[in-house]
Amino acid sequence: LILGSPTVRRRYLDILISQVNTRYLKALQKYQKVVSQRNYLLKTVREGRSPLGELEFWDDQLVAEGSYIMVQRAETVLALSYDASLIHTELTSQGEKLELTFQPSINMVAGQTVDQVGQTLRNMLELQRDKEVSLGFTLCGPHRDDLRMVLGNMDVGVFASRGQCRTVTLAMKLAEAGYLSEHRGQEPILLLDDVLSELDIARRTLVLDRARQYQQCFIT
């Protein structure tokens, strides 16, 4: 989740949001088809087999679904960051503040509406039109987003130790469980597989204390 590719982190967000928002899941499925079709069209435009004007239809589809996806991701990361930060402080007692930040492929400001994000996305598509045709694939949209974890002033994916990475991941997963509980009205079952092996005794105790708060928890 931390050291892997952006694809893993997007999948983490997509699975979480889709469990509480069916509109998001449908938008995500449609968006993936739109990007695939648009990429194919970009290649045929480059080869001179399709007119450039045909991109307008797919641009409309990409903006409609993509802007909704990006707004939902931004709102979810904001909520997760707050909970994960509190949990991380509880698990470490070291005063290192954890922050999760959404890294969209376009310039976004917190609190923007779907229409506002859609207009920014459309403008970016127009600016990159020639480059996209030359390369044959779509350069901006939700499929290029990422999620960044910052501990203090440190990028966790670049500078953190394995123990720190494990604690950050655990805080994120526990924040995810809280998010699901709040939005579904039902507490999830917590499954922790080999989560204690790289933690010191103090952190193990804190993790186990946290796990006891759940109605059902399995730890290996």
Side-chain angles (χ1 to χ4, degrees):
L1 185 61
I2 293 174
L3 303 177
S5 71
T7 302
V8 178
R9 291 182 286 277
R10 287 194 296 270
R11 180 175 171 79
Y12 165 77
L13 289 175
D14 290 341
I15 291 175
L16 172 58
I17 302 172
S18 294
Q19 291 181 77
V20 299
N21 186 340
T22 54
R23 164 76 175 91
Y24 181 88
L25 177 58
K26 292 176 181 177
L28 190 65
Q29 292 170 336
K30 187 172 181 180
Y31 178 82
Q32 291 169 344
K33 294 178 181 178
V34 168
V35 172
S36 178
Q37 291 290 332
R38 190 174 185 276
N39 286 347
Y40 176 77
L41 181 57
L42 284 168
K43 292 182 177 68
T44 60
V45 170
R46 181 183 61 188
E47 296 166 358
R49 295 188 289 119
S50 298
L52 188 64
E54 287 190 16
L55 283 169
E56 291 183 10
F57 171 81
W58 296 107
D59 286 356
D60 290 343
Q61 298 295 310
L62 187 144
V63 167
E65 307 303 334
S67 57
Y68 178 80
I69 292 169
M70 297 173 92
V71 168
Q72 293 301 309
R73 285 178 177 176
E75 292 177 352
T76 301
V77 171
L78 188 63
L80 280 178
S81 182
Y82 178 79
D83 289 343
S85 179
L86 294 177
I87 294 169
H88 186 269
T89 300
E90 179 184 324
L91 294 178
T92 61
S93 301
Q94 293 179 353
E96 296 176 316
K97 182 181 179 181
L98 172 64
E99 183 180 5
L100 309 180
T101 59
F102 178 52
Q103 303 280 292
S105 57
I106 62 172
N107 292 324
M108 281 181 62
V109 179
Q112 281 188 309
T113 65
V114 171
D115 288 341
Q116 290 171 326
V117 173
Q119 187 58 54
T120 303
L121 182 54
R122 185 180 299 278
N123 292 342
M124 185 62 67
L125 289 173
E126 292 175 357
L127 284 173
Q128 296 188 333
R129 176 84 73 222
D130 292 342
K131 188 175 181 181
E132 286 187 330
V133 171
S134 176
L135 294 173
F137 57 84
T138 305
L139 292 173
C140 61
H143 65 292
R144 308 279 287 191
D145 293 344
D146 200 357
L147 172 64
R148 184 170 178 242
M149 304 84 167
V150 178
L151 200 54
N153 294 319
M154 175 183 67
D155 188 319
V156 177
V158 178
F159 299 106
S161 66
R162 287 189 61 83
Q164 287 174 314
C165 286
R166 180 161 290 216
T167 306
V168 168
T169 303
L170 181 59
M172 290 174 63
K173 297 301 289 185
L174 291 174
E176 178 184 353
Y179 183 90
L180 289 172
S181 296
E182 179 181 350
H183 286 79
R184 296 169 63 178
Q186 183 179 13
E187 187 176 276
I189 299 172
L190 190 64
L191 308 176
L192 302 177
D193 179 31
D194 193 29
V195 75
L196 305 175
S197 62
E198 294 182 20
L199 303 179
D200 57 34
I201 293 177
R203 290 192 185 190
R204 289 181 184 182
T205 301
L206 291 169
V207 170
L208 293 174
D209 286 343
R210 182 78 188 191
R212 289 191 185 97
Q213 298 175 20
Y214 287 81
Q215 294 177 358
Q216 296 187 76
C217 179
F218 295 86
I219 304 179
T220 64

